[in-house]
């Protein structure tokens, strides 16, 4: 098992005016680790928990039982979540379910709350309701696991469906939209800007080829800022839609040292000032 590293080595260009942000849907899932498959990179990717299919799964990729490994989930705008439906383990078939470890307790964490879900060791979906939380990001953490019988001690999770007032925010309607994309896998998730320890800028890259930038100042007298648009990654280049800008060139910083935050450095004379500078993939 290997942790898949995040490595940025891109040239970035800007295109046309930004689009308005859509609200509510799941924007991305970023895992702290992933069981690696050289021939099938999508086999255990984190996005697999979104599609409502037990035949697609995420498996963590660190030594041990996977306790403490996380999935960072982002939404397109504030989402009011009051229920989750969890399908644990590698539920592709009975043999795979026994072979790999299964999540026994899953914690849902926001900035203000934590909910813990005790999951029965079964391939059936299990529903958990709770007081609504309104968030644009949350974290799922493996708090306990049932060990598998195979030599690979990966713990797996088939699905997490988020619901709001009985309506699923993700599910089978995403089938066919979550295939593996190398460029997206590198960028997807939230990047943090601003002073260390007091991050006030956020840059989210979503699975559907859109991004969203937001500036949330701590000083109430400073005006917040937000805009978004489309992005594409192709052949080592990243194109982003920026408000009213022609094509500009940006570069990324070298890969960070092991166990340190990865850095995305956006540079260019014509780049939107808000985006210029260094972005980290950890708060």
């Amino acid at each position: 098992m290997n942790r898949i590293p995040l490595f940025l080595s891109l040239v970035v260009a800007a295109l046309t005016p930004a689009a308005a942000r859509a609200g509510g849907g799941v924007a991305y899932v970023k895992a702290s680790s992933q069981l690696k498959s050289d021939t099938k990179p999508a086999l255990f990717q984190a996005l697999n928990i979104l599609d409502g299919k037990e035949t697609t799964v995420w498996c963590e990729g660190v030594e041990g039982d996977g306790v403490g490994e996380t999935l960072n989930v982002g939404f397109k705008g504030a989402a009011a979540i009051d229920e989750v439906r969890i399908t644990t383990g590698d539920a592709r078939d009975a043999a795979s379910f026994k072979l790999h470890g299964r999540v026994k307790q899953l914690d849902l964490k926001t900035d203000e709350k934590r909910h813990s879900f005790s999951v029965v060791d079964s391939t059936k979906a299990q529903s958990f309701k709770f007081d609504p939380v309104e968030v644009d990001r949350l974290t799922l953490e493996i708090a306990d696991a049932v060990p598998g019988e195979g030599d690979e001690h990966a713990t797996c999770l088939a699905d997490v469906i988020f619901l709001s007032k009985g309506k699923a925010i993700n599910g089978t309607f995403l089938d066919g939209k979550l295939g593996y994309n190398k460029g997206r896998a590198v960028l997807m998730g939230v990047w943090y800007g601003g002073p260390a320890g007091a991050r006030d800028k956020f840059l989210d890259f979503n699975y559907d080829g859109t991004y969203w930038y937001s500036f949330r100042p701590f000083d109430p007298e400073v005006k917040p800022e937000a805009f978004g648009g489309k992005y594409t990654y192709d052949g080592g280049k990243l194109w982003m839609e920026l408000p009213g800008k022609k094509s500009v060139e940006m570069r990324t910083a070298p890969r960070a040292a092991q166990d340190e935050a990865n850095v995305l450095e956006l540079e260019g004379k014509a780049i939107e000032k808000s985006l210029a500078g260094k972005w980290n993939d950890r708060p």
Side-chain angles (χ1 to χ4, degrees), residues 171-185:
T172 53
F173 55 86
L174 294 179
D175 186 25
K177 300 179 180 180
L178 304 172
Y180 180 78
N181 177 283
K182 183 177 180 180
R184 180 184 65 188

Side-chain angles (χ1 to χ4, degrees), residues 26-201:
V26 178
Y28 61 80
V29 181
K30 192 74 173 180
S32 56
S33 68
Q34 175 184 320
L35 185 63
K36 187 176 180 181
S37 172
D38 293 329
T39 57
K40 297 180 179 180
L43 187 60
F44 301 115
Q45 69 170 349
L47 286 174
N48 289 340
I49 71 164
L50 297 180
D51 62 9
K53 297 175 61 179
E54 66 274 9
T55 54
T56 62
V57 304
W58 165 69
C59 297
E60 52 78 27
V62 297
E63 295 296 330
D65 57 10
V67 171
E69 292 304 288
T70 59
L71 293 160
N72 292 317
V73 183
F75 299 88
K76 288 190 170 184
I81 310 299
D82 56 14
E83 182 181 354
V84 292
R85 292 176 186 163
I86 300 170
T87 304
T88 191
D90 185 346
R92 291 176 295 170
D93 52 57
S96 297
F97 190 77
K98 292 181 179 180
L99 182 68
H100 289 128
R102 285 88 69 189
V103 174
K104 184 177 180 180
Q105 180 178 320
L106 188 67
D107 288 356
L108 184 155
K109 300 189 295 183
T110 70
D111 289 340
E112 298 178 351
K113 295 183 179 180
R114 175 193 292 258
H115 295 282
S116 295
F117 311 118
S118 295
V119 185
V120 176
D121 195 26
S122 166
T123 58
K124 294 183 179 180
Q126 300 165 57
S127 182
F128 301 88
K129 296 183 179 181
F130 47 90
D131 291 337
V133 293
E134 188 166 332
V135 292
D136 54 6
R137 301 182 189 92
L138 58 81
T139 298
L140 300 172
E141 181 177 334
I142 300 174
D144 197 3
V146 177
E149 298 176 359
D151 294 332
E152 288 185 331
H153 300 290
T155 295
C156 302
L157 189 63
D159 281 305
V160 180
I161 306 299
F162 299 96
L163 294 94
S164 178
K165 297 181 179 179
K167 182 178 180 180
I169 293 176
N170 59 293
T172 53
F173 55 86
L174 294 179
D175 186 25
K177 300 179 180 180
L178 304 172
Y180 180 78
N181 177 283
K182 183 177 180 180
R184 180 184 65 188
V186 169
L187 288 176
M188 190 173 57
V190 58
W191 295 80
Y192 301 89
R199 305 298 192 188
D200 55 8
K201 293 183 178 181

Side-chain angles (χ1 to χ4, degrees), residues 2 13 15-16 34 47 54 87 120 123 141 150 176 185 198 205 208 219 254 259 267 279-280:
N2 297 293
L15 296 176
T16 54
Q34 175 184 320
L47 286 174
E54 66 274 9
T87 304
V120 176
T123 58
E141 181 177 334
F205 288 98
D208 64 355
D219 187 343
D259 297 327
E267 299 177 349
W279 296 83
N280 293 270

Side-chain angles (χ1 to χ4, degrees), residues 12 158 168 203 252:
V12 185
L203 182 57
T252 60

